[in-house]
Amino acid sequence: MKKWSVLLVLLLCLSWASHVSAKTTLRYSNFFPPTHIQSQLAENWCKEVEKRTHGEVVIQYFPASTLTKAPQTYDQVVQGIADIGMTALGYSRGRFPVAEAIDLPMGYTSGVQATAVANAMYEKFKPGEFKDAHILFFHAHGPGLIHTRDKEVNTLEDLKGLKIRSTGTSGLVMGALGASPVGKSMRECYQMLQKGVVDGSCHPVESNKGWKLGEVVHYMIQNFSTAYTTTFGVFMNKNQWNKLTPEQQNAITEISREWAGKHGEAWDESDKEGMAFFKEKGGVVIPQSEEEAAKWREAAKPVIDNYVKKVSEKGVDGQAVVDFIKANM
């Protein structure tokens, strides 16, 4: 009887040990501050993964660049410093030539629209630039507009020579419009504006509240005709992905599909809150006439043309990518 009791205990211990060993802990790196809605959504994604995998996959969340810096996040996910990461693709200009097309000044109207375009483009072209990581999903903010600190901008001439913080493709747009782009990340933007290092910033309306920029900018130019977006990628280390069971992978894929939509919707809701915050701080909104908007659109057109030419030299059919995006807006 004792032998059977000992055997039963051993079997129970082995079963428990097997259950414990099946638990996978992953690290998720994000540059958004913990109070930002996009950071909160990312943290909720982590919790949902743990819930739907029945506690088999647990994710430790590191916001505010506490694990990896935004420009290095993709590479450090590939290297395994982080297991999962979210960052703006534009922080690594030239690294993702096909995906760069999403950020072009297409005249976006919402985050939901831009997010749908980003994921559709990836599914259509499956660009090799992402081959070293497993892509979970993309999301993108609503129309990126120009905000200035002290100078009211009504025309292209008013914009000329102003130092505007912008990154990736938005920097190219600023250059085409006659401004002087200053390529710094969003984390540095507030202090640069506060200290007068730059005259303005190119950012979505939500950032006026999400990053408190509405406290340090006073004018918003509604340059919708040249509105760009910024694409954010959420990706995972390939080795870690391949270690997951098919059931765990399916659960994470399903959650990611849902969360892409949530991120897009959150961008739009945040734009409304950002506008309210901007006005509350005394911000002035400057609309554009159709005539002025057409001038800006024409001035920004070379950014799209140059993109097509540049990536075509690398063997990418840039025109096909641009045409696909326009057709799916």
Side-chain angles (χ1 to χ4, degrees):
M1 199 65 182
K2 277 187 176 180
K3 289 181 179 178
W4 284 109
S5 297
V6 171
L7 182 59
L8 181 60
V9 170
L10 285 171
L11 287 172
L12 288 170
C13 288
L14 286 170
S15 175
W16 177 81
S18 174
H19 175 73
V20 171
S21 64
K23 182 176 174 179
T24 299
T25 301
L26 303 171
R27 296 158 300 168
Y28 186 147
S29 177
N30 193 352
F31 73 97
F32 281 105
T35 54
H36 197 289
I37 182 60
Q38 297 299 330
S39 181
Q40 293 169 0
L41 273 172
E43 189 168 13
N44 289 338
W45 181 91
C46 298
K47 293 174 182 176
E48 192 68 15
V49 168
E50 182 172 356
K51 176 184 173 183
R52 293 203 210 173
T53 60
H54 313 289
E56 295 171 358
V57 180
V58 176
I59 303 175
Q60 298 173 340
Y61 182 59
F62 297 85
S65 298
T66 51
L67 182 58
T68 66
K69 302 301 180 188
Q72 288 81 44
T73 295
Y74 179 82
D75 286 333
Q76 292 183 336
V77 166
V78 171
Q79 295 161 11
I81 295 169
D83 302 303
I84 302 165
M86 179 196 292
T87 195
L89 303 184
Y91 287 163
S92 304
R93 184 186 289 183
R95 180 66 188 277
F96 306 107
V98 177
E100 274 183 23
I102 306 165
D103 293 1
L104 291 169
M106 298 290 193
Y108 289 100
T109 58
S110 74
V112 167
Q113 176 199 48
T115 294
V117 165
N119 287 287
M121 188 286 300
Y122 178 75
E123 290 302 322
K124 169 70 175 178
F125 295 98
K126 289 290 174 65
E129 59 214 47
F130 296 111
K131 64 181 175 59
D132 295 324
H134 176 76
I135 300 301
L136 293 169
F137 64 96
F138 297 94
H139 61 96
H141 64 60
L145 303 177
I146 298 170
H147 297 71
T148 55
R149 204 175 85 112
D150 301 316
K151 184 176 180 179
E152 186 173 333
V153 174
N154 292 286
T155 66
L156 275 177
E157 289 69 30
D158 294 335
L159 188 63
K160 289 192 184 304
L162 293 186
K163 291 180 288 184
I164 306 293
R165 188 229 56 106
S166 46
T167 58
T169 303
S170 68
L172 298 177
V173 177
M174 292 305 95
L177 295 178
S180 298
V182 179
K184 296 292 183 179
S185 74
M186 191 64 84
R187 286 186 59 80
E188 301 171 83
C189 191
Y190 188 100
Q191 283 196 333
M192 293 174 72
L193 285 163
Q194 187 180 46
K195 295 177 180 179
V197 175
V198 292
D199 302 302
S201 169
C202 200
H203 59 255
V205 180
E206 69 81 26
S207 298
N208 290 315
K209 182 178 181 182
W211 293 88
K212 305 299 182 187
L213 300 183
E215 297 176 348
V216 286
V217 291
H218 304 109
Y219 300 100
M220 177 195 301
I221 301 89
Q222 293 187 308
N223 55 304
F224 291 116
S225 63
T226 56
Y228 72 98
T229 189
T230 298
T231 308
F232 302 86
V234 183
F235 26 77
M236 184 170 175
N237 178 273
K238 264 192 170 180
N239 291 332
Q240 292 291 359
W241 174 258
N242 291 332
K243 288 178 183 177
L244 299 177
T245 67
E247 292 77 17
Q248 292 166 348
Q249 290 178 345
N250 289 338
I252 292 173
T253 298
E254 183 179 336
I255 296 165
S256 297
R257 192 176 296 117
E258 293 173 18
W259 251 249
K262 288 178 183 288
H263 279 279
E265 290 167 2
W267 281 119
D268 290 341
E269 191 58 37
S270 296
D271 273 354
K272 294 176 186 176
E273 295 177 7
M275 179 64 84
F277 185 85
F278 176 75
K279 290 180 176 179
E280 177 189 314
K281 296 297 179 182
V284 177
V285 177
I286 303 170
Q288 281 191 327
S289 66
E290 274 300 317
E291 183 182 1
E292 190 65 26
K295 291 179 183 177
W296 288 53
R297 188 183 298 109
E298 186 63 26
K301 187 175 179 292
V303 175
I304 299 175
D305 295 339
N306 289 339
Y307 164 81
V308 172
K309 181 181 177 182
K310 181 184 71 173
V311 298
S312 295
E313 291 169 355
K314 298 179 180 179
V316 174
D317 189 346
Q319 192 62 55
V321 179
V322 167
D323 290 345
F324 177 83
I325 291 171
K326 287 182 177 178
N328 283 272
M329 288 182 63

